[in-house]
Amino acid sequence: MTTTSTPESSSAADAKVDFVDVLIVGAGLSGIGAAHHLQSKLPGKSYAILESRGAIGGTWDLFRYPGIRSDSDMYTLGYNFRPWTGDKSIADGASIREYIADTAKDGGIDEHIRFHHRVVSAEWSTATSHWTVVAVRSDTGESVVVHASFLMCCSGYYDYAKGFTPEFEGVEDYRGTVVHPQLWPSDLDYTGKKIVVIGSGATAITLAPTLARDAAHVTLLQRSPSYIMSLPSKDPIALALRKYLPSKVAYGVTRIKNAVTAIGLYVLCQRYPTFMRKQIRKLQEGWLPEGYDLDTHFTPKYDPWDQRLCLVPDNDLFRSIRKNEVELVTDHIDRFTAEGIALTSGGHLDADIIVTATGLNLVAFGNVEMTVDGRSVDLTETMAYKGMMLTDVPNFAFVVGYTNASWTLKADLVCDYVCRLLEHMDSGGYREVRLDRDPSVGEEPFLDFAAGYVLRAVDSFPKQGSKAPWRLRMNYFRDLPALRFGKLVDDNMSFR
Ligand SMILES: Cc1cc2nc3c(=O)[nH]c(=O)nc-3n(C[C@H](O)[C@H](O)[C@H](O)COP(=O)(O)OP(=O)(O)OC[C@H]3O[C@@H](n4cnc5c(N)ncnc54)[C@H](O)[C@@H]3O)c2cc1C
């Protein structure tokens, strides 16, 4: 880590103290991207990354369940500065992890990472214009203090310790193995086993066809259906462009093409839900066996993109259903039994293994306890500005990507904006930037998304505003001009 100076001693006794211009929390896709933007645009700035785990990659290192892959294309999930060169556009977890780790290695970013440092608190002092950040080392238990002028939270959006599992009655009676995909045991042998996967989201539909290759039988048990579409895992246009154009140009063109496609699809779904419902159904009819009960298993109660639309590569889920390797059951769980799951309809699913692909527990900003001048920050009283900064929390930015397109499209924009902001502060001699709440702006939930994992936690998140720039615009093509090229400073910001 680059250490530029050592300010006054910290309150945490015995702690190692140092100072950086920018402190990044998290060494996942966002944290490594943030470091790259920072060191390439503002090479004079010192920075460090505190990462609570022992590895780079975040999500793409943590999740190890069979078949783990992206469900958005890598030309938009990849960084804008580093072409994705893999063959597949829907890539497996290991390739994404490698892409992030290679980015860190090539840029020397890995030398700035402190692993096993879980950030627990961050205290802003207006008097000294810096953050005092305390991390606890998971390997030694020691407390470490780092001072920073600017804090960037790239901690993702969910609890790393544990995924979400609803309370199932009778679970203690079950004699088989229960597994949550977030903590998949590497030695779990499922060959020849009967497996029930509970869930209807991206993880469940990834797992089912993958497990079906070796299992005796896989049942995908969903309470209610989701919208599921298929994409070719290889993008023929991207591969052709790569042959004839320089790598960076081909990547840039494919990135725009795919962003337009993803956001175009989202906008169409929001504007013409009935039409899009019909189109999705028509495609699914072609992928599924004749006479398949689409009404029960593939027709959600909500409109397309009111919740995340799931993608499968090369029809894999639909092909497994056709081959009878995966059976889709839409029903409710009454209770677990010794042999499996009793359904409220009266049926029973026998299972040697039950996979609870029932979701994540959302947490805001890595559960870091923030204080400003001795006053604890109540996140629910703050409002997000441009989906990346908070009212009353000076010199702070966070990365939360899009829910309707690839995460990194937004992450790159945020990082770019933060670099411009830091440059502006340097040139004006400012040590603090603060956002003041605009009383004319109404409050709305931070994520306007009806998924269960969002609804369970959104009350503990900051608010978003009813209009720009306080509104989180889930649209890359509206954010791009505003964040990358638009006016940096407005009346909501004050500099000191
Ligand atoms: C199974 C799965 C599949 C997904 N697929 C896609 C997809 O296809 N497309 C898409 O756009 N998005 C997808 N997402 C969302 C995904 O999380 C993002 O794509 C992206 O990986 C987020 O990167 P991140 O660095 O912001 O967060 P993360 O990957 O969550 O990394 C955050 C890092 O911060 C660290 N951290 C957290 N709190 C602290 C703390 N207090 N102190 C220190 N370190 C901390 C964590 O250990 C972690 O390493 C998926 C998510 C999951 C769970």
Side-chain angles (χ1 to χ4, degrees):
M1 186 178 79
T2 320
T3 305
T4 51
S5 61
T6 305
E8 55 282 313
S9 63
S10 142
S11 53
D14 303 320
K16 209 164 120 190
V17 178
D18 46 9
F19 183 87
V20 286
D21 293 319
V22 181
L23 187 67
I24 298 169
V25 181
L29 188 63
S30 307
I32 300 300
H36 177 96
H37 282 277
L38 192 67
Q39 67 179 26
S40 57
K41 289 172 186 137
L42 302 171
K45 293 268 176 228
S46 60
Y47 76 91
I49 303 177
L50 300 188
E51 166 54 55
S52 59
R53 302 179 68 244
I56 289 174
T59 299
W60 304 105
D61 183 71
L62 176 77
F63 280 82
R64 300 288 180 126
Y65 59 78
I68 168 80
R69 56 161 170 81
S70 65
D71 65 353
S72 42
D73 72 280
M74 287 310 298
Y75 299 96
T76 53
L77 190 58
Y79 301 114
N80 63 359
F81 56 83
R82 186 182 179 93
W84 170 255
T85 54
D87 272 358
K88 289 194 171 174
S89 133
I90 304 287
D92 59 84
S95 308
I96 305 174
R97 187 167 67 242
E98 202 178 301
Y99 172 81
I100 302 170
D102 286 350
T103 307
K105 193 160 172 256
D106 291 353
I109 294 165
D110 49 359
E111 288 162 25
H112 296 251
I113 306 173
R114 293 176 168 202
F115 292 109
H116 301 294
H117 281 61
R118 184 168 59 85
V119 175
V120 289
S121 66
E123 186 177 348
W124 172 259
S125 157
T126 301
T128 59
S129 300
H130 68 243
W131 287 98
T132 300
V133 175
V134 179
V136 175
R137 291 194 60 145
S138 56
D139 48 355
T140 61
E142 178 195 1
S143 276
V144 176
V145 176
V146 182
H147 295 278
S149 302
F150 200 93
L151 183 63
M152 222 176 148
C153 202
C154 298
S155 56
Y157 63 109
Y158 59 86
D159 186 356
Y160 266 66
K162 214 162 136 238
F164 174 72
T165 311
E167 279 188 21
F168 294 117
E169 216 188 307
V171 72
E172 63 288 349
D173 300 335
Y174 179 57
R175 286 203 294 256
T177 309
V178 180
V179 187
H180 192 286
Q182 187 165 327
L183 299 170
W184 192 272
S186 57
D187 57 353
L188 181 71
D189 182 10
Y190 54 89
T191 315
K193 301 278 200 269
K194 278 180 280 181
I195 306 176
V196 173
V197 179
I198 306 173
S200 57
T203 301
I205 64 166
T206 300
L207 269 164
T210 312
L211 296 175
R213 285 179 211 140
D214 296 310
H217 187 258
V218 175
T219 307
L220 187 53
L221 171 61
Q222 58 178 10
R223 201 165 42 176
S224 54
S226 316
Y227 287 102
I228 304 176
M229 295 276 283
S230 176
L231 260 193
S233 61
K234 290 188 181 177
D235 180 339
I237 300 176
L239 295 177
L241 286 173
R242 224 189 258 176
K243 262 193 206 159
Y244 300 108
L245 296 175
S247 158
K248 279 198 170 161
V249 178
Y251 180 64
V253 174
T254 311
R255 197 173 157 85
I256 296 288
K257 166 184 86 65
N258 290 4
V260 169
T261 311
I263 288 146
L265 178 68
Y266 174 79
V267 172
L268 278 177
C269 288
Q270 295 282 298
R271 294 233 176 112
Y272 311 105
T274 314
F275 172 76
M276 291 308 286
R277 263 176 184 267
K278 281 190 191 146
Q279 300 312 306
I280 294 171
R281 191 180 171 101
K282 245 190 230 165
L283 286 168
Q284 290 174 336
E285 275 167 357
W287 297 328
L288 288 161
E290 220 183 306
Y292 192 83
D293 185 359
L294 270 121
D295 288 339
T296 305
H297 302 307
F298 281 98
T299 311
K301 290 194 186 82
Y302 56 90
D303 283 329
W305 264 124
D306 279 356
Q307 293 188 27
R308 200 176 168 100
L309 189 144
C310 296
L311 287 176
V312 296
D314 304 322
N315 289 332
D316 67 354
L317 175 71
F318 299 101
R319 277 187 287 118
S320 328
I321 293 174
R322 259 181 188 278
K323 287 197 250 167
N324 278 327
E325 289 172 355
V326 171
E327 182 190 0
L328 197 47
V329 172
T330 307
D331 207 327
H332 287 240
I333 296 173
D334 178 33
R335 56 174 294 125
F336 279 36
T337 65
E339 272 81 39
I341 295 174
L343 302 169
T344 48
S345 64
H348 188 273
L349 302 174
D350 290 349
D352 304 310
I353 300 172
I354 295 176
V355 181
T356 52
T358 40
L360 309 163
N361 289 312
L362 255 57
V363 298
F365 312 135
N367 266 337
V368 176
E369 211 182 298
M370 284 197 279
T371 315
V372 172
D373 294 327
R375 194 174 45 83
S376 172
V377 174
D378 178 352
L379 286 179
T380 64
E381 285 178 3
T382 63
M383 184 174 276
Y385 172 82
K386 296 186 173 169
M388 49 167 285
M389 291 167 82
L390 291 180
T391 49
D392 301 325
V393 186
N395 292 27
F396 173 79
F398 62 88
V399 174
V400 171
Y402 294 122
T403 45
N404 63 351
S406 283
W407 183 275
T408 323
L409 288 172
K410 176 72 182 276
D412 278 334
L413 290 180
V414 170
C415 296
D416 209 71
Y417 185 93
V418 168
C419 288
R420 287 209 289 143
L421 182 64
L422 293 175
E423 214 171 6
H424 174 80
M425 290 174 73
D426 283 351
S427 62
Y430 304 123
R431 298 180 70 187
E432 182 187 288
V433 55
R434 198 180 278 256
L435 285 152
D436 304 313
R437 186 92 172 233
D438 177 346
S440 73
V441 176
E443 280 187 358
E444 291 188 8
F446 183 70
L447 288 171
D448 180 17
F449 207 50
Y453 67 94
V454 173
L455 297 176
R456 278 197 300 274
V458 75
D459 286 349
S460 59
F461 274 67
K463 302 287 181 292
Q464 66 163 314
S466 53
K467 59 182 185 191
W470 303 95
R471 194 165 176 72
L472 269 140
R473 288 190 294 204
M474 285 289 164
N475 188 327
Y476 175 65
F477 291 103
R478 293 180 74 181
D479 280 346
L480 177 71
L483 292 181
R484 181 156 305 153
F485 308 111
K487 220 171 94 191
L488 184 73
V489 177
D490 61 28
D491 292 346
N492 302 298
M493 276 177 165
S494 48
F495 291 91
R496 198 175 59 82

